[in-house]
Amino acid sequence: MREESVESVEINEREIVDKMFQSGILIESFAKNNGISINQCRKLCDEILIEWELTGHEHRSVKDMRQHLLNHLRVIISKKNIKHEDKDHRLENLIDDCKQLIAEGFPADAMREFYSYWVQPMTDGSGAMLFESVTAFDTRTRFFSFYKKKYSK
């Protein structure tokens, strides 16, 4: 009977995590499903990597490492009961985009109505606002659609 040896493959966890954040798809869906921001997810991943470095934890494969990372993140999120970052920080880009559209000559009343609609809280208890639930939310495109429907009668 031939004994198979399991070779230890050198895995650079930091490089893998960086690639996960660069590609974005997995991390974005994970963050959204767990009610945290991408920035919070990044901070937690950094904490986990430091812990792994300190404990000398090794993984058998890249797939094993990714799965362990996501499971570790879920445990931390549930223990800390992490929610989205404070509301003001989450609204910065939306507010800046709205200000820009007003500066371009769109009516402030229409912008207030648009803004009020999109910052409503989600009903799923996640703490997210409506605009955060849309995968590809582009303020300009959404506002033009809203404005056209509302004011072109």
Side-chain angles (χ1 to χ4, degrees):
M1 178 179 261
R2 196 173 96 193
E3 209 174 290
E4 292 184 28
S5 64
V6 177
E7 288 187 33
S8 178
V9 178
E10 184 76 24
I11 297 175
N12 184 336
E13 284 98 352
R14 286 205 181 274
E15 188 176 298
I16 294 167
V17 169
D18 287 342
K19 286 180 182 176
M20 289 170 69
F21 276 90
Q22 287 170 0
S23 70
I25 297 166
L26 175 66
I27 294 297
E28 285 177 13
S29 66
F30 176 85
K32 183 177 177 182
N33 291 338
N34 287 280
I36 64 171
S37 70
I38 301 291
N39 290 337
Q40 287 174 310
C41 193
R42 182 63 189 197
K43 289 175 189 174
L44 292 174
C45 284
D46 288 341
E47 289 175 20
I48 292 169
L49 291 175
I50 290 169
E51 180 182 328
W52 288 352
E53 288 171 5
L54 293 173
T55 60
H57 190 87
E58 294 182 11
H59 296 93
R60 294 174 293 204
S61 67
V62 172
K63 182 180 177 182
D64 178 49
M65 181 256 155
R66 284 185 185 143
Q67 191 60 49
H68 186 197
L69 178 69
L70 295 176
N71 289 339
H72 205 138
L73 282 168
R74 283 185 194 96
V75 169
I76 291 172
I77 291 166
S78 67
K79 282 184 179 176
K80 291 184 177 181
N81 195 19
I82 295 174
K83 297 290 182 202
H84 279 283
E85 294 172 345
D86 69 17
K87 190 175 181 178
D88 292 340
H89 178 71
R90 292 164 33 216
L91 290 172
E92 285 175 1
N93 291 337
L94 179 63
I95 291 170
D96 290 344
D97 291 345
C98 290
K99 285 179 182 177
Q100 178 63 39
L101 288 165
I102 290 171
E104 291 174 17
F106 288 96
D109 291 346
M111 189 56 64
R112 275 192 287 280
E113 191 175 341
F114 170 81
Y115 178 84
S116 293
Y117 173 77
W118 284 104
V119 297
Q120 293 177 66
M122 294 291 297
T123 58
D124 62 3
S126 66
M129 289 173 271
L130 188 57
F131 80 95
E132 294 173 310
S133 71
V134 178
T135 305
F137 185 86
D138 178 66
T139 307
R140 182 173 289 277
T141 304
R142 295 278 176 176
F143 178 73
F144 289 161
S145 176
F146 164 83
Y147 189 79
K148 187 177 174 182
K149 286 179 187 173
K150 185 88 175 170
Y151 296 96
S152 66
K153 292 181 181 178

